[in-house]
Amino acid sequence: ASVGSKSAVVTIADMTSLQVEADVSESNIERVIHHQPCEITLDAYPGLRYQGYVDKIVPTADRAKATVLVKVGFVTYDSRVLPEMSAKVLFLTKPTEKNDLQEKPFLALLKSAVAERDGKKFVFRAANKEAQELEVITGKELGAYVEIIKGITPGEKVIEKADPSISNGTKVTVK
């Protein structure tokens, strides 16, 4: 389980102490604790995940952004991690197992977004202010989510609840 994900930047004190600086919303800072396990993903290598931990919560807030600076250390990293790279940090409730880090990320949707009819599964994509039905192939289930193996690509906007009243061409508003 995770607490949340934040965009961040890799910074450096020296080559042996690379850290990620993440701005955490003031409303979520009480959920971040010292030595909390994290998972770090570099924007340059989205398929790679690194184990991390909360090293320091800087005791001042940025009033303009309503955030608190959190410094996240790497448990281990390799030569691909460079200063000033963009990164994402996922604050975890328990450490990620090393074997899990080798698994490739996959696309998942809320189960409620996937409908079934005549033995086929589909989702509705919001395109040009209309619902567009797309057939999908699903994989493993993860709590309230289901893996999408084929049918849509990451970043596509889909309707969160595949309601029976929605069909191809139904007018939709994207929020």
Side-chain angles (χ1 to χ4, degrees):
S2 66
V3 172
S5 179
K6 297 289 169 207
S7 294
V9 175
V10 176
T11 60
I12 184 170
D14 59 61
M15 280 311 282
T16 60
S17 63
L18 286 173
Q19 290 188 323
V20 178
E21 291 187 347
D23 287 325
V24 176
S25 164
E26 288 178 353
S27 61
N28 288 324
I29 197 64
E30 77 280 354
R31 298 166 68 189
V32 176
I33 58 172
H34 194 245
H35 292 297
Q36 179 174 354
C38 301
E39 189 175 289
I40 303 164
T41 307
L42 302 174
D43 290 356
Y45 308 107
L48 293 174
R49 301 181 306 174
Y50 297 91
Q51 286 179 309
Y53 62 95
V54 173
D55 185 47
K56 184 175 186 181
I57 301 169
V58 179
T60 57
D62 182 327
R63 294 183 95 180
K65 295 191 279 185
T67 59
V68 175
L69 180 64
V70 175
K71 294 190 178 191
V72 175
F74 287 86
V75 172
T76 58
Y77 58 90
D78 55 36
S79 61
R80 291 173 283 207
V81 181
L82 300 171
E84 301 305 316
M85 283 186 144
S86 295
K88 288 187 178 55
V89 175
L90 188 62
F91 296 92
L92 305 171
T93 55
K94 62 182 178 125
T96 304
E97 299 294 326
K98 284 193 177 182
N99 290 342
D100 292 340
L101 292 173
Q102 305 310 314
E103 279 189 29
K104 287 195 157 224
F106 56 87
L107 179 61
L109 289 176
L110 283 169
K111 289 179 192 175
S112 64
V114 181
E116 191 169 345
R117 183 174 57 233
D118 301 325
K120 294 181 180 182
K121 294 182 180 181
F122 58 92
V123 298
F124 290 103
R125 173 175 57 188
N128 298 324
K129 297 184 182 181
E130 291 184 351
Q132 185 180 60
E133 184 179 300
L134 297 172
E135 187 175 345
V136 294
I137 297 172
T138 60
K140 58 188 169 193
E141 292 188 4
L142 307 142
Y145 293 86
V146 63
E147 177 185 19
I148 304 296
I149 296 171
K150 188 176 180 184
I152 61 170
T153 57
E156 286 192 85
K157 294 188 186 305
V158 298
I159 296 172
E160 197 172 275
K161 186 164 175 33
D163 189 287
S165 65
I166 301 171
S167 62
N168 266 328
T170 300
K171 298 292 180 199
V172 295
T173 303
V174 177
K175 292 183 181 178

